[in-house]
């Protein structure tokens, strides 16, 4: 009705009825023109607080005859300010009432008056209609809002020469139309109408989204184009806030698709949104959208059904969602926003790649946003940024764990941790919130998963302080302490803290006793004084027995109880818990190995070898088992048979690890990055304990230090660095095989072959004490006693506690006539390893040659020990949680 | 097993054998219509002693070997049930009746570890980098804020192998069992989008049962079947969780969340960090989603209000604003203390290695104005920061920190 009137009322300078700019330009003064421009700019940038002043200027300049234009501006400013104040209510679609919102009432009064008088020219009438639609929408009058939208002429807003704020109005109008339809959908009767309506909604949303993106991009161009080096003018709205309807315009399309469960189309729309070139105003929205897309990809798109971001969703999937083609193809946009290029840029080819890329983008924005102010009024904001960070890190964890990238993950978490730590410093209470514990715990776990043991223990200890009732956290730390770090005291303390929880530790209580027992057992092995060793052994046994009482069904506990008994040479008693272990888990590597060792200790070598055969059928690639087999074969069938097994081991080593080595050298020659990092290490880690533990490199602190030294020394030697890149234990295994073969050749008297083996081993670790020991023995065989002594001395410098070195040196000294020095060395050997019968008999011989009366005691001890001596020390069974 | 089921299965067995090569893809599409077939096959697999088990396993393998994706998915949908059947038989050590299931599992494994030319296959992916332009971003707009990206760039990795190459396996041994089963689950997970609800349910059940059998929690779940504990490996649990996550988000929220809890329960007992890490992440993101959806209206979409720094307050200090004003005289509103960050005051001795080479970038933050209150408390704070900083750096075994 009043549209038809199209009365053109606002009179410029009181004379002209038209506000047509070309005609106006000649007449109006420059200051008036500037005023107009300023108003347009404020409406584009949503600077509503400036509008009243501008309207006052407008009135005082008497540009317009009546107040309708000014009232339109005021109504818009009032309405928008009211919306800004009520974001939460808008979000929950709670209608605003005029009684609660005086601004709303004023705005309505203005708008009604304008529409009733109908004196404004069409363009402004159109704007008034849209504002009215918006007002009715927020009041929950959806049908009226829809009617208003229908009366407005949206196409007028899309023309190129239109002011920027019209793009904003267009986006808002479209989304209001769509949302209004959506809110009424229930009342629609027939299914056909319903789906028609849904389709119409969606087309509105899509149009709204494109318009909103374009608006933000255009806004970016007009607002401050900061030159590099110049100070950015903060007042120019650099940090631009999106209003409710702008956010709704951006999000509605994908939200409604995802809401309906149309994942493929929803993901497609999210991708379209994110493909639009970033603008300043869209940053925080993009952060959320990127996270949302990553979430959809990770939770609902599997590898085989993935399609890349530049292609439309697969037809089969679209059909499943009841669509024939992506919606954006059905409703092409007249002015699409600018999108990122597709030429020579990275385009993900895999669901995890895309998710990680999106999360990195999201995180790069999140870390900028993190509020680190301590003011109480920012508390909510702080929590929100923490929640944001949490969800990004959670999704990164899910994505990276699927690819086994724990090392990367730990670094990601570390970065987040530093930022969070600052937040935490501001507010202690945060430390106890769920998120805070969770994020620290995840950091600890990721450090543990990628083998950064020391860091993991420290972080886990912090976590434990935050949540002292959780038994898992300290036990995880204890596991790292025992296995990787060999911090036995620390590990025992951590496990004890769980034991102290008693029943509150529930199912983990027996594991805690096991951990305590293992620590004590390992400390007993390391102890130098007999008294403390016995004490540790006694306490270890106590803990392990307690553990078994609490959980008789745990095969690991039964195994370690048996091992502890074996270590104290209670061979026949050890059989009982071992049988339990084997009945619970018949094919367990360590249990079968221990059984073989126990048989060998009882001198049932054939039984032992049969057991090993069984064990090897289940664990054909266990080098530890094979080394035991070599020893048994040597005893049963002589060195020749054992050497054949050594040969098999070399073969096995090559077939198993050679690809690692070749790929290392290949890649390191062409690329600087270390290849093994990229390889998922778990497969190799699983068998790690098999290798570190032949007796000369048993896990004592001294020998760990020794092997580090070796490694360091070998590193500087001539061997190429590429060669050393594989996990150290792989090379240690190879060295061990060569040394074993060398010993067997020596046994056979084949010095040359033995020397070759020593050479091969030496090429791997030139500064290895085991190699030096073998070379010393070989020198001795050839009668080069002086050279042998030098070699033994060198070996001792590297590994001062090595009892086999001490034994050979001592015996050599005795033979060379330096009996008392030899005796001293042999006594050291006894100190170092009191259960080795060779050492006792060596000492006995030295004492005998001096005519000492103690000699027979030594021989007796040796005899006694030998009676319960396994073919390889029981310590070859790794003691780990 | 009813005669009717037997009939359906028998028919299915006979039909495929007589099928001409050309008709295979049409046949694959038509399988969906045989609604009673899939439940009948589940029954066959569950009943270990059925005479039909061997021909069924054989035909499922033939399906897989055909290379026709729909037939492969048909076979894969039974994988969780097959794994459960295999594992439960293995744990009860009744070796002779799982032979054909073992053969089927090994057969699929051996097909999947090689590519079309029979070469060992290594699965790899590219680690994205923000420093290179992508379809979603321009490096210049990201700026120097990407802490994580800095960390990743240090790896200098682009292409990363995450599974394989794997060895052919003729038999299961204790040593290779979980390596094979883990890889099979990986294949299953890759095809999750094609799996039916029945298959997802079976996966969740597999997850729950493998993890709780023999433990006190079994009573809680009231599962009466096998009561002996089954071995698991960390990687196997990670793959299980990945599949359960999909089930959880795609229609099986009850079974899925139960299964997730059960796997986490076991991972805690085994002290496996990897499944705990992923499982916690999933649980936490589900928790976030639940918080959101609680507020959400039943029908209508809900716009997410993204908090921006200025909405919070134009004066709130964000890490961005601190970095932006690094060298600017900055008056903080929170503490009325004026701090001149220009010539740095006492710089806390913090060696920053979070992202190697980022030390320069991060240091100014450590003494960002408004962060530390003057007085003894702030001293302690700096000290705490220091020690925490150090523990984050980890380093090698020398980085031990005593608290």
């Amino acid at each position: 009705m009043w549209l038809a009137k199209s009365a053109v009322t606002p009179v410029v300078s009181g004379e002209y009825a038209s506000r047509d700019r070309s005609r106006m330009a000649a007449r109006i003064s420059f200051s008036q023109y500037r005023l107009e421009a300023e108003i347009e700019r404020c409406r584009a940038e949503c600077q509503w607080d400036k509008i009243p002043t501008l309207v006052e200027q407008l009135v005082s300049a008497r540009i317009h005859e009546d107040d309708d234009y000014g009232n339109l501006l005021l109504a818009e400013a009032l309405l928008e300010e009211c919306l800004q104040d009520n974001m939460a209510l808008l979000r929950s679609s709670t209608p605003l009432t005029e009684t609660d919102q005086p601004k709303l009432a004023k705005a309505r009064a203005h708008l009604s008056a304008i529409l009733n008088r109908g004196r404004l020219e069409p363009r402004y009438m159109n704007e008034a209609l849209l504002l009215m639609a918006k007002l009715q929408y927020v009041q929950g009058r959806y049908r009226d809002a829809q009617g208003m939208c229908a009366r407005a002429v949206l196409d007028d807003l899309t023309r190129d020469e239109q002011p920027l704020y019209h793009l904003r109005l267009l986006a808002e109008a479209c989304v209001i139309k769509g949302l209004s339809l959506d809110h009424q959908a229930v009342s629609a009767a027939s299914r056909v109408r319903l789906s028609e309506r849904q389709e119409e909604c969606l087309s509105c949303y899509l149009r709204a989204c494109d318009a909103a993106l374009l608006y933000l991009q255009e806004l970016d161009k007009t607002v401050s184009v900061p030159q590099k080096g110049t100070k950015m003018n903060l007042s120019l709205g650099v940090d631009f806030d999106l209003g409710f309807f702008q956010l709704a315009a951006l999000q509605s399309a994908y939200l409604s698709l995802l809401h309906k469960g149309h994942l493929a189309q929803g993901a497609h729309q999210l991708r379209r949104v994110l493909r639009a070139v970033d603008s300043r105003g869209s940053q925080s929205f993009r952060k959320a959208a990127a996270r949302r897309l990553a979430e959809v990809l990770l939770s609902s798109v599997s590898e085989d059904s993935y399609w890349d971001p530049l292609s439309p969703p697969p037809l089969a999937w679209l059909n499943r969602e009841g669509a024939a083609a992506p919606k954006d193809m059905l409703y092409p946009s007249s002015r699409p926003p600018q999108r990122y290029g597709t030429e020579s840029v990275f385009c993900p080819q895999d669901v995890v790649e895309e998710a990680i890329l999106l999360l990195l983008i999201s995180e790069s924005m999140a870390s900028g946003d993190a509020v680190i102010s301590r003011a109480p009024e920012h508390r909510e904001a702080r929590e929100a940024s923490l929640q944001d960070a949490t969800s990004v890190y959670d999704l990164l964890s899910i994505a990276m764990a699927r690819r086994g990238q724990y090392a990367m993950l730990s670094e990601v978490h570390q970065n987040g941790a530093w930022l969070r730590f600052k937040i935490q410093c501001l507010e202690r209470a945060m430390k106890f919130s769920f998120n805070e514990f969770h994020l620290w715990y995840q950091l600890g776990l990721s450090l543990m998963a990628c083998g950064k043991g020391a860091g993991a223990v420290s972080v886990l200890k912090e976590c434990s302080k935050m949540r002292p009732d959780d038994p898992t956290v300290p036990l995880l730390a204890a596991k790292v302490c025992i296995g990787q770090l060999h911090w036995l005291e620390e590990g025992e303390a951590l496990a004890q803290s769980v034991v102290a929880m008693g029943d509150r530790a529930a199912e983990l209580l027996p594991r805690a006793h096991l951990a305590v027992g293992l620590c004590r057992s390992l400390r007993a092995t390391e102890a130098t004084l007999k008294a403390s060793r016995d004490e540790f052994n006694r306490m270890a046994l106590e803990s392990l027995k307690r553990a078994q009482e609490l959980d008789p069904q745990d095969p690991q506990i039964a195994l370690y109880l048996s091992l502890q008994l074996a270590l104290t040479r209670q061979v026949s008693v050890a059989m009982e818990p071992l049988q339990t272990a084997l009945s619970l888990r018949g094919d367990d590597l360590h249990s079968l190995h221990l059984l073989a060792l126990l048989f060998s200790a009882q001198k049932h070598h054939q039984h032992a070898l049969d057991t090993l055969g069984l064990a090897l059928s289940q664990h054909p690639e266990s080098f530890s088992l094979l080394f035991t087999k070599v020893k048994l074969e040597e005893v049963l069938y002589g060195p020749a048979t054992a050497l054949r097994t050594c040969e098999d081991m070399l073969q096995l080593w090559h077939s198993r690890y050679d690809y690692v080595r070749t790929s290392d050298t290949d890649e390191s020659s062409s690329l600087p990055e270390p290849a093994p990092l990229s390889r998922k290490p778990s497969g190799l880690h699983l068998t790690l304990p098999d290798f570190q533990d032949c007796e000369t490199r048993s896990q004592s602190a001294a020998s760990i230090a020794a092997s580090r030294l070796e490694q360091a020394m070998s590193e500087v030697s001539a061997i190429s660095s590429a060669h050393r890149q594989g996990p150290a234990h792989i090379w240690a295994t190879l060295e061990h095989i060569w040394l074993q073969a060398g010993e067997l050749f020596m046994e056979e008297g084949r010095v040359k072959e033995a020397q070759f083996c020593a050479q091969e081993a030496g090429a791997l670790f030139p500064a290895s004490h085991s190699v030096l020991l073998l070379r010393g023995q070989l020198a001795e065989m050839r009668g080069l006693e002086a050279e042998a002594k030098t070699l033994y001395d060198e070996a001792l410098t590297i590994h001062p506690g090595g009892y086999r070195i001490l034994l050979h040196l001592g015996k050599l000294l005795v033979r060379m006539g330096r009996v008392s020095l030899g005796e001293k060395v042999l006594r050291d050997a006894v100190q170092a390893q009191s259960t080795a019968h060779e050492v006792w008999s060596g000492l006995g011989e030295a004492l005998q040659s001096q005519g000492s009366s103690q000699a027979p005691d030594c021989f007796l001890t040796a005899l006694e020990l030998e009676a319960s001596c396994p073919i390889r020390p029981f310590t070859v069974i790794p003691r780990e949680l | 097993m009813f005669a009717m089921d037997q009939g359906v299965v028998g028919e299915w067995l006979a039909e495929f054998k007589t099928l001409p090569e050309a008709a295979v893809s049409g046949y694959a599409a038509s399988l969906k219509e045989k609604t009673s077939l899939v439940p009948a096959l589940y029954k066959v697999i569950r009943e270990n002693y059925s005479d039909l088990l061997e021909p069924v396993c054989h035909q499922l393998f033939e399906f897989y070997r055909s290379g026709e994706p729909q037939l492969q998915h048909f076979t894969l949908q039974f994988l969780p049930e097959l794994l459960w059947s295999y594992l439960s038989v293995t744990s009860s050590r009744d070796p002779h009746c799982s032979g054909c299931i073992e053969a089927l599992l090994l057969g699929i494994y051996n097909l999947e570890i090689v590519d079309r030319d029979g070469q060992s296959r290594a699965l790899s992916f590219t680690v994205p980098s923000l420093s290179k332009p992508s379809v979603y971003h321009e490096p210049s707009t990201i700026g120097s804020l990407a802490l994580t990206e800095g960390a990743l760039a240090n790896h200098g990795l682009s292409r990363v192998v995450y599974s394989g190459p794997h060895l052919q396996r003729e038999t299961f041994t204790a040593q290779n069992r979980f390596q094979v089963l883990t890889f099979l689950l990986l294949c299953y997970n890759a095809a999750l989008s094609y799996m039916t609800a029945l298959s997802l349910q079976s996966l969740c059940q597999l997850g729950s049962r493998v993890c709780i059998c023999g433990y006190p929690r079994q009573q809680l779940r009231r599962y009466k079947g096998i009561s002996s504990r089954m071995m698991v490996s960390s990687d196997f649990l990670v793959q299980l969780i990945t599949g359960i996550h999909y089930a959880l988000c795609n229609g099986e929220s009850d079974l899925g969340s139960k299964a997730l809890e059960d796997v986490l329960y076991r991972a805690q007992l085994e002290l496996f960090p990897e499944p705990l890490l992923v499982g916690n992440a999933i649980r936490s993101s589900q928790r976030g989603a639940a918080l959101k959806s609680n507020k959400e209206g039943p029908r209508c979409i809900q716009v997410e209000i993204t908090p921006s720094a200025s909405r919070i307050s134009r004066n709130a200090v964000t890490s961005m604003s601190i970095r932006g004003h690094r060298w600017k005289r900055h008056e903080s509103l929170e503490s009325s203390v004026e701090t001149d960050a220009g010539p740095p005051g006492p710089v806390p001795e913090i060696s920053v290695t979070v992202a190697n080479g980022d030390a320069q970038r991060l240091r100014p933050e450590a003494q960002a104005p408004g962060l530390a209150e003057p007085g003894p408390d702030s001293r302690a704070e700096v000290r705490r920061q220091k020690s925490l900083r150090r523990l984050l750096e980890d380093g090698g075994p020398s980085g031990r920190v005593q608290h």
Side-chain angles (χ1 to χ4, degrees), chain A residues 279-296:
Chain A
S279 53
R280 229 166 288 142
S282 68
Q283 289 236 343
S284 58
F285 154 71
R286 278 175 70 84
K287 185 178 75 182
R291 200 177 61 210
R292 189 68 193 266
L293 178 52
E295 202 174 275
V296 171

Side-chain angles (χ1 to χ4, degrees), chain B residues 56 78 88 161 185-186 190 192 219 227 273 278 312 331 338 367:
Chain B
V56 162
F78 298 106
S88 52
V161 174
L185 269 187
L186 187 85
L192 273 169
Q219 270 115 51
S227 60
V278 200
I312 294 150
E331 197 173 332
E338 266 190 42
Q367 31 107 34

Side-chain angles (χ1 to χ4, degrees), chain B residues 6 21 41 104 245 264 365 372 387:
Chain B
Q6 275 181 341
E21 191 89 350
L41 287 175
L104 172 59
H245 180 209
L264 279 171
E365 288 170 37
S387 64

Side-chain angles (χ1 to χ4, degrees), chain A residues 34-82:
Chain A
R34 262 187 41 178
L35 192 57
E36 298 279 320
E38 182 67 5
I39 290 172
E40 276 191 6
R41 194 179 66 79
C42 285
R43 292 184 75 185
E45 292 175 15
C46 302
Q47 299 195 28
W48 309 118
D49 49 335
K50 295 196 177 144
I51 293 291
T53 337
L54 291 170
V55 171
E56 264 171 43
Q57 287 176 33
L58 207 63
V59 170
S60 64
R62 301 187 53 77
I63 301 173
H64 300 278
E65 200 159 57
D66 63 64
D67 295 335
D68 272 9
Y69 178 61
N71 286 344
L72 177 69
L73 296 178
L74 283 177
E76 185 178 31
L78 285 165
L79 177 59
E80 294 295 342
E81 276 174 355
C82 174

Side-chain angles (χ1 to χ4, degrees), chain A residues 360 363-364 415, chain B residues 128-132 146-154:
Chain A
L360 290 179
E363 199 248 5
S364 76
N415 290 325
Chain B
S129 162
L130 290 190
S131 56
K132 289 176 199 127
L147 283 170
T148 291
E149 167 62 12
L152 294 191
N154 279 340

Side-chain angles (χ1 to χ4, degrees), chain A residues 241-242 251 259 286 304-305 346 354 363 367-368 374 394 415 421-422 428 452 455 479 507 618 682, chain B residues 126 133 136 148 174 190 193 235 265 271 284 299 302 304 308 311 317 319-320 354 365 371 381 385 394:
Chain A
D241 257 345
L242 297 183
Q251 299 173 9
H259 190 75
R286 278 175 70 84
D304 288 354
S305 58
F346 174 69
E354 185 171 352
E363 199 248 5
S367 51
R374 74 164 72 210
D394 282 338
N415 290 325
F421 180 66
K422 288 185 297 187
R428 291 288 159 76
K452 291 179 187 163
K479 178 179 181 172
E507 279 103 317
Q618 287 300 312
S682 57
Chain B
T126 304
Y136 291 132
T148 291
S193 298
D235 289 345
Y265 167 82
L271 303 172
S284 156
R299 196 178 50 82
Q302 192 151 36
E304 193 172 353
S308 73
R311 176 161 299 123
V317 180
S319 48
M320 171 121 65
V354 160
E365 288 170 37
L371 259 181
E381 206 61 87
Q385 289 198 24
D394 174 27

